[in-house]
């Protein structure tokens, strides 16, 4: 086993370059599908909404779209932007309460399926 030593400043420069590369790759991963186009049906399936709801969102200007020969298309990036713009920030207490309710719901469901009271 060989041990290589370098100056602290050189180590810091190398470390910052590695971090910059990692950040760049992460940004590429996050936006890899943002330019992919989806039609009405695909967006409705993805968001679990009706076409009428999607129409309302479109007419209110809540989601960006393109119209070609009477068909509407949306990018995944536009969908992400719309979801992020409407995200509701919650407190840690609310999240803990939600998790407890979810756990309780799952436990009750499992008891019902197994026939145990």
């Amino acid at each position: 086993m060989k041990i290589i030593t370098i100056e602290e400043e050189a180590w810091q420069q190398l470390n910052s370059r590695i971090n910059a590369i990692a950040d760049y790759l992460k940004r590429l991963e996050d936006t890899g599908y943002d330019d992919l186009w989806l039609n009405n049906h695909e967006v409705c399936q993805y968001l679990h909404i009706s076409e009428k709801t999607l129409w309302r969102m479109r007419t209110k200007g809540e989601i960006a779209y393109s119209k070609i020969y009477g068909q509407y298309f949306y990018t995944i990036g536009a969908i992400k932007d719309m979801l992020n713009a409407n995200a509701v920030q919650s407190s840690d207490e609310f999240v803990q309460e939600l998790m407890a309710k979810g756990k309780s719901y799952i436990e009750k469901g499992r008891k019902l399926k197994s026939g145990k009271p």
Side-chain angles (χ1 to χ4, degrees):
M1 175 184 215
K2 293 182 180 180
I3 297 175
I4 300 171
T5 59
I6 58 175
E7 294 178 0
E8 183 179 1
E9 184 178 330
W11 168 253
Q12 288 174 349
Q13 288 177 354
L14 179 62
N15 197 25
S16 68
R17 287 181 183 172
I18 291 171
N19 287 334
I21 292 169
D23 291 342
Y24 174 75
L25 292 174
K26 186 172 192 258
R27 278 181 284 163
L28 285 179
E29 283 179 11
D30 290 345
T31 60
Y33 294 102
D34 283 358
D35 294 332
L36 184 66
W37 289 90
L38 303 175
N39 63 24
N40 268 353
H41 181 71
E42 293 167 330
V43 172
C44 290
Q45 284 184 326
Y46 179 71
L47 296 176
H48 302 286
I49 60 174
S50 69
E51 288 201 20
K52 181 150 184 147
T53 300
L54 185 57
W55 172 80
R56 278 191 224 115
M57 293 166 63
R58 199 172 52 238
T59 56
K60 289 180 182 178
E62 294 175 353
I63 188 167
Y65 65 93
S66 289
K67 183 178 178 183
I68 301 172
Y69 296 113
Q71 290 190 10
Y72 295 94
F73 296 93
Y74 315 81
T75 62
I76 290 181
I79 296 167
K80 282 182 184 179
D81 292 342
M82 184 268 309
L83 291 172
N84 286 330
N86 292 297
V88 177
Q89 299 298 324
S90 60
S91 67
D92 289 337
E93 294 169 6
F94 178 76
V95 172
Q96 294 299 325
E97 181 182 337
L98 183 63
M99 289 172 58
K101 286 181 181 178
K103 184 178 177 184
S104 172
Y105 174 77
I106 290 170
E107 289 172 354
K108 286 179 185 176
R110 288 186 181 152
K111 288 178 185 175
L112 291 174
K113 287 180 183 177
S114 64
K116 297 178 184 176

